[in-house]
Amino acid sequence: MITLKDLETMTARDLHDRAIGTAKAEGDLDWLWHLLRSIPGAEDEVGDLEDSGMGMLGTVSAINGYTRADRDLPGTLRSQYVDYLLEHL
């Protein structure tokens, strides 16, 4: 069994890999969403989002993946699409 002391000696990358692997194995989508939502706040602490390596293509790909996986999601986001487009006409 792994202990807190063991975890504290691991690199951040190893912790990431272990946590993601555990969440995937347990089907813990709630925690993965929590992690995803925490990324912008974490980016504020270290610099701007563009420095994270998550560029335009990766971001668009992630959004498209979510909207393909849940057919109701684009309808739910409809008002956000309209607001954004009205602001940028």
Side-chain angles (χ1 to χ4, degrees):
M1 180 173 187
I2 195 161
T3 66
L4 176 59
K5 186 176 180 178
D6 295 328
L7 294 174
E8 289 175 343
T9 64
M10 294 173 71
T11 67
R13 174 51 63 187
D14 288 341
L15 287 169
H16 166 87
D17 292 347
R18 187 176 192 110
I20 295 294
T22 299
K24 285 171 55 178
E26 294 182 5
D28 194 349
L29 190 56
D30 288 339
W31 184 80
L32 291 169
W33 274 109
H34 167 76
L35 182 65
L36 184 62
R37 286 190 306 266
S38 71
I39 290 173
E43 280 300 319
D44 283 344
E45 291 181 29
V46 295
D48 78 48
L49 192 56
E50 291 163 6
D51 292 338
S52 71
M54 183 69 166
M56 184 66 69
L57 185 59
T59 302
V60 170
S61 178
I63 292 167
N64 287 340
Y66 299 134
T67 58
R68 280 192 300 272
D70 182 346
R71 293 181 184 189
D72 295 329
L73 190 57
T76 303
L77 298 173
R78 181 178 173 80
S79 65
Q80 291 184 52
Y81 299 146
V82 170
D83 291 346
Y84 180 81
L85 291 170
L86 287 173
E87 288 176 16
H88 291 88
L89 288 177

